[in-house]
Amino acid sequence: MIRRLFGLLSGTVIFLLFLFPTNIVAQDEVAGDSLSGSESAMDTLLLKEKTPQPPFNIVAEDVDNDAGEAIKLSWDLSPDDFQDGNVKEYVVLRSESAEGTYDTLGNTTQGIKSFIDNKVEIGKKYFYKIAALNYEKVNYVYLWNANSESAVAGPVVATAQWFNTGRIWVLLTILFISGAIIYFIWGAKSGKSFYIRKIAGIDEVENAVGRATEMGRSIYYVPGIHDMDDVQTLASMSILGRVSKMAAQNDTRIDVPVSRSLVMVTAREIVKESYSKVGRPDSFQDEQVRYLTDDQFGYAAAIDGLFVREKPATIFLIGAFFAESLIMAETGNSIGAIQIAGTAMPAQLPFFVAACDYTLIGEELFAASAYLSREPKLLGSLKGQDMGKALFLIVIVLGIILQFFDVEMWRLFEVR
Amino acid sequence: METFGIWLAALLTIGIISFLYKDNVLYKACESIFVGISAGYWFITYYWDNLYRKFYLGVTDMDNPHRFFLWIAFALGVMMLTRLIGKIGWLSRWPLAFIVGATAGLYMMTYFVSNAFVQVGATIKLPPDFGSVGSYISFGMIALGTFSGLVYFFFSKEHKGVFGGTAKLGIWFLMVTFGASFGYTVMSRMSLMLGRLDFLFGEWLGMIN
């Protein structure tokens, strides 16, 4: 009995000695497996919960009325796209084949459901997908991110249009004004006379030139700091032609310091021609029209120096001016010169009005050449432009009245 | 070197400001330095920006399908230089005519749309908060100001009677706008002057910390 009990006990001990360590390891392993298994499952579950549903109804279409430079994408928001929802942003993906590799093109924030792809080539096929993206990041580093992609949209091809139908009203208005101008030019050419109201600044041009002649001093004509690609400089050149002709007739020196090489070339041609027209080609010297510098304030400093040293009797400041306008006008005023200014720069007009004797405000500058020359072509053009203004006046009155009947006429003036 | 730069800038600043007293030798020196350096600076800028970057790099870029067009611009540029050769000097008028014509055509649409068309649309559009007293006044002023301002710029009709009165109202609107703009711009110029004074008394003389 004792031997049996001893045998059972020792057998149990040996059994336990063999099994116990193994069981511990096994338990550990199981425990470990189960732990990691449970975390992974939780992560997967968590990630699944945080993965947003993709957007749907992706529409990719060529943008109308362009030169084939854009494709517009639009979509319905993901059902998870709401405040504190699972969508942080949408990523736009593009490929040149449906099954190919999709590259990231750009992204939009949550709640936005359109995107313009303006990196396209005309005639090339493009496929798009929109991915809804959720993530958490700290200091620009993603802790995790999850996304889901929409179905493929496409192929879409960007095409160019000859006509921008969004600007049809612009075309019609321009046709109306151009037609009026041509009509009145014909009228003027056939001998019809047109009335032009008095423009004080232009009326004084002759007196201003005469004053310089009487005082035996020179005239300075400053054509602004813009190049020949500005309409104000073009208008200024036209007025320069008249002023230089008057100066040449009176045998009064006119100086034209410029800040652009092309303006110098043009002004030189104009002044030279004026001298030739009045039969004094030899009186003109190239140095009368000279280049100073392209730099805005360098030009202003040089002009100020010239004004103070040469003390011209008359100064014309006509063209495109910026911050240097008051510096020049004030210096001209300080030397007692009669000053006639003209610009279409709204921010500089107040300075000219304050410091000059006469100022051509905005469109008066463009009307001046017609006023001075009285050429039928220019007079007709001026009358035609007035018809354009009359049209706009009618539209303003009509548009305001119609607003009160809920007719939004202003929409016709939206230009795409 | 930095100290030298600060001293030079300070002396040039004083030189230019001295013009407020009267024309003097220092101003003449500063003016000449300013004009000479800036003319040289712009020459170099145009050379690198136009001749080198736009033209040379453009025509030597074999992937650029439009590179042959650059030769047209180059030819027009060369034609400008013919002014230096008496007999064929008339050729320089061609690039000028091209620039003036192309610019007038290109800008016609831009100016018409931004300066006329869109402005008319904006004038007749009711403000979003239309209904309040302020919005009535604001909308009325904009509409009346634009209308009367346009009437002032009518050249083919005599400004008398009702038409003349409206034009006079237009010029009043313009003058009030100019006054406001004048004050606003003067304030911005004051800040420029303060910047210069800050440089003189701070960086140069060290009187301001």
Side-chain angles (χ1 to χ4, degrees), chain B residues 159-171:
Chain B
H159 285 183
K160 65 179 186 183
V162 177
F163 195 78
T166 313
K168 197 166 267 181
L169 181 67
I171 198 72

Side-chain angles (χ1 to χ4, degrees), chain A residues 201-233:
Chain A
I202 293 299
D203 274 347
E204 281 304 311
V205 168
E206 206 169 333
N207 291 338
V209 174
R211 182 180 189 258
T213 308
E214 282 170 13
M215 292 176 81
R217 302 218 301 247
S218 63
I219 297 166
Y220 262 76
Y221 191 100
V222 183
I225 61 164
H226 261 190
D227 217 327
M228 288 307 296
D229 59 355
D230 191 298
V231 284
Q232 295 176 72
T233 314

Side-chain angles (χ1 to χ4, degrees), chain B residues 78-166:
Chain B
V78 170
M79 283 163 82
M80 285 296 295
L81 298 176
T82 58
R83 287 184 65 82
L84 301 171
I85 309 161
K87 281 184 182 173
I88 54 166
W90 56 271
L91 273 175
S92 67
R93 289 180 183 177
W94 288 21
L96 270 180
F98 176 81
I99 289 166
V100 172
T103 309
L106 275 172
Y107 286 144
M108 187 181 82
M109 278 302 286
T110 314
Y111 281 126
F112 180 75
V113 169
S114 63
N115 292 0
F117 209 74
V118 174
Q119 298 295 329
V120 172
T123 305
I124 60 176
K125 186 181 178 183
L126 294 177
D129 64 334
F130 194 70
S132 63
V133 178
S135 70
Y136 281 123
I137 295 171
S138 164
F139 182 68
M141 293 288 268
I142 289 172
L144 193 63
T146 310
F147 187 89
S148 56
L150 258 176
V151 169
Y152 173 75
F153 287 108
F154 251 80
F155 296 105
S156 57
K157 189 168 167 54
E158 200 175 352
H159 285 183
K160 65 179 186 183
V162 177
F163 195 78
T166 313

Side-chain angles (χ1 to χ4, degrees), chain A residues 55-72:
Chain A
F56 53 98
N57 287 339
I58 317 297
V59 178
E61 55 192 355
D62 175 39
V63 172
D64 276 342
N65 298 321
D66 72 345
E69 58 215 7
I71 287 173
K72 187 184 177 186

Side-chain angles (χ1 to χ4, degrees), chain A residues 294 309 364 386 389 403, chain B residues 31 46 124 152-153 155-156:
Chain A
D294 271 62
R309 279 160 229 148
E364 287 179 340
D386 274 3
K389 284 174 222 157
Q403 281 278 9
Chain B
E31 178 200 319
Y46 286 141
I124 60 176
Y152 173 75
F153 287 108
F155 296 105
S156 57

